[in-house]
Amino acid sequence: MAIRIRYMYVLLFVMVSLTAHGIGAGKVLVVPPALSGSHWFPLASVGQALAGRGHEVTVVVSQDIVAKRRAERPELHFESFLDQGSRARLEVMTGQMSEMAEQPVFRIMQHLHGGLIEMTRQCDLLLGDGDLMERLKQAHFQVVITEPFISQCGAIVAAHLGVPHVALLRGDPSGLDYQATGVPRPPSYVPTIVSGFTDRMTFLQRAQNSVVSCVSPVMFQWFVENMHYDQLRKYIGEEETLVGVLAKTDVWLYQMDPLLDLPRPSMPNMLNVGGILAREAGPLSEDLELFMQSSGSAGVVVVSFGSQAKTLTMERAEVMAAAFAPLRQKVVWRYEGEKPAGLGNNTKLLAWLPQNDLLGHPTTRAFVTHAGSNGVYEALYHGVPMVCTPLGGDQPGNAARAVSRGLGVRLDFNTFTTETLHKAIIQVLTDKRYQETAARLSRLHRDQPQPPMERAVWWVEHVIKHGGLPHLRARAVELPWYQYYLLDVAVFLLAVCSAVLGSVWYRCSFVCRKVCCKSGGKLKSQ
């Protein structure tokens, strides 16, 4: 009898646990883009959070990096494929992007085209690995999580497997996400992701934003659709389009927050999870903690350029080192390469640093950053003002919006000098307005009914539980362009109005002629 009661308690505990989670263990497939760094961490973190809730999470990566990924995330399962060096070549090309800022447009486009070729090659090798794709089919995954940034390989994999799709992204310069959801993007107050504008644009900025909003998506979409043309027809269907594949996405998780990324139109299946990597600061290593505490009341300045740290030239490194050396504050700098000659005794170089934990440390006073979205949101979460020196991509926009909110100042990475960088850091450190604004916005950002990571995990589990969420997709994407813009209705109404006005004109003319004829007859008779 006692054993039976014990079993009943165990069963009750299991039922309560399942009810609390709302779902049993699911099978999740993560298909990250060929790019790593800031594009990999959010996907990996969501996967790890799902694994922590009992789900079986499998990640598909290239063979040359699978050992590193397993060591980083032992909670996840990994499947691999041979990519013949395309990922490594793409990493090299990505690292050169900071050097391309001063190059002619033709050279930049040539560089971009080379990157797209490598992405296409890797996607071909992934989809063409028959044994791998068969294993993925036999696994019967319940959801596929991808980042559709330029390359849409993950979405094609989800469609090929016939599995619900969740997209986790910062934004897509091709604009395919907006087409796939049917969301309008008015250029009058929605700046493009690659611009340095806010929602308060001058006339010239609105004109520029309008041109870029029209030209940039067309250019990117032509590239992206061409790179996936053969894959769509081979693995999905002859009549399928890339927009059609993306339109089947059940949930779009945007690493955005209106507090920084400004309000914009959205659909019910488009959720904001900006700051998904930010969390309470964890303990530092003993030596790093001692260094932070040794700063005293002056505090610490954290310097990090993310995955771009290894691309800094010695010239720029010397300029930065000379700017940090006179500071009263200690400096923790993520840096790879030869040690700058002008490095001060107050500066500690690290090839990798726990960025979130450092920004959340009570001695941290400022953050010098390239304005990558992950770093900007971690600084926002911990209330740390910034000196932004954007390199490219979405970074100029991130910097512009951070500055517009009063979170810091912005410098041009290619032109700042030792004096201007030092002056900007001192300005952020000494002007109380930056500290006060950062603290206020941090409180606003944290004051949410659900942390961004919990929100992301809840929606993924919601998709698993119900096998997809087609009821959240707007029908806008299914409409032909002339119906979407109501051109057929406009033509019909114009025709009706023309017919009515024509009829009235004809009747008035007829009455006038009759009256005139009668008047003329009377005059003749007189």
Side-chain angles (χ1 to χ4, degrees), residues 239-477:
E239 302 300 322
E240 191 59 87
T241 65
L242 198 55
V243 172
V245 168
L246 286 172
K248 296 181 178 68
T249 301
D250 292 277
V251 173
W252 299 81
L253 299 175
Y254 283 89
Q255 296 173 62
M256 296 182 176
D257 186 321
L259 189 62
L260 268 189
D261 291 299
L262 314 175
R264 62 190 65 203
S266 66
M267 291 292 178
N269 64 341
M270 299 169 70
L271 291 309
N272 290 322
V273 292
I276 196 170
L277 297 183
R279 64 189 187 284
E280 292 298 332
L284 301 174
S285 63
E286 185 177 351
D287 63 326
L288 192 53
E289 179 64 34
L290 287 173
F291 182 82
M292 300 292 285
Q293 294 295 346
S294 69
S295 64
S297 60
V300 177
V301 175
V302 178
V303 183
S304 176
F305 286 78
S307 57
Q308 302 291 328
K310 56 189 173 185
T311 69
L312 296 177
T313 64
M314 181 52 67
E315 179 188 2
R316 288 283 87 191
E318 290 289 359
V319 169
M320 295 172 71
F324 302 149
L327 293 172
R328 292 176 50 248
Q329 289 73 22
K330 294 292 182 73
V331 178
V332 180
W333 183 6
R334 181 181 178 183
Y335 180 81
E336 296 183 44
E338 184 182 349
K339 180 179 176 181
L343 193 71
N345 294 328
N346 65 334
T347 304
K348 185 180 184 66
L349 300 181
L350 295 172
W352 178 87
L353 51 78
Q355 183 171 279
N356 179 81
D357 300 333
L358 284 172
L359 290 173
H361 197 276
T363 62
T364 298
R365 300 288 183 265
F367 184 33
V368 179
T369 173
H370 64 309
S373 61
N374 293 334
V376 167
Y377 270 104
E378 286 172 349
L380 171 66
Y381 182 86
H382 294 292
V384 179
M386 292 171 276
V387 175
C388 301
T389 61
L391 298 172
D394 66 336
Q395 297 159 21
N398 297 338
R401 289 183 274 279
V403 171
S404 72
R405 294 298 195 196
L407 280 170
V409 298
R410 174 183 177 178
L411 297 176
D412 187 290
F413 177 81
N414 296 300
T415 61
F416 70 69
T417 63
T418 296
E419 291 74 20
T420 56
L421 178 58
H422 180 80
K423 183 179 179 181
I425 296 172
I426 294 297
Q427 180 182 348
V428 166
L429 288 170
T430 57
D431 192 333
K432 291 184 178 180
R433 290 178 298 177
Y434 295 109
Q435 298 285 347
E436 292 170 355
T437 300
R440 178 176 59 83
L441 294 182
S442 174
R443 292 192 297 271
L444 273 172
H445 176 62
R446 289 176 179 234
D447 192 13
Q448 302 182 43
Q450 196 179 32
M453 181 59 79
E454 284 187 21
R455 186 156 57 249
V457 168
W458 188 92
W459 278 97
V460 173
E461 290 185 335
H462 193 52
V463 172
I464 294 173
K465 183 177 181 180
H466 298 285
L469 306 173
H471 63 285
L472 295 181
R473 303 178 205 150
R475 192 171 176 271
V477 71

Side-chain angles (χ1 to χ4, degrees), residues 120 219-232 242:
T120 305
M219 178 187 67
F220 273 105
Q221 287 172 29
W222 185 84
F223 277 128
V224 175
E225 287 175 358
N226 275 280
M227 74 186 267
H228 290 304
Y229 180 85
D230 293 332
Q231 296 160 358
L232 285 170
L242 198 55

Side-chain angles (χ1 to χ4, degrees), residues 115-129:
L116 291 175
I117 289 174
E118 293 299 339
M119 289 183 186
T120 305
R121 183 177 290 119
Q122 189 181 63
C123 191
D124 281 333
L125 293 168
L126 172 84
L127 289 164
D129 190 329

Side-chain angles (χ1 to χ4, degrees), residues 92-137:
V92 173
M93 298 178 75
T94 304
Q96 296 170 344
M97 282 306 295
S98 60
E99 304 170 11
M100 300 299 297
E102 302 299 317
Q103 297 293 325
V105 175
F106 175 76
R107 184 78 181 87
I108 297 174
M109 294 302 298
Q110 194 177 33
H111 194 79
L112 175 62
H113 184 255
L116 291 175
I117 289 174
E118 293 299 339
M119 289 183 186
T120 305
R121 183 177 290 119
Q122 189 181 63
C123 191
D124 281 333
L125 293 168
L126 172 84
L127 289 164
D129 190 329
D131 292 338
L132 170 62
M133 297 309 295
E134 185 59 31
R135 289 198 303 274
L136 296 181
K137 284 183 178 179

Side-chain angles (χ1 to χ4, degrees), residues 46-64:
V46 170
Q48 193 164 336
L50 288 165
R53 290 173 67 92
H55 301 287
E56 182 182 327
V57 182
T58 302
V59 185
V60 179
V61 295
S62 57
Q63 183 68 44
D64 66 328

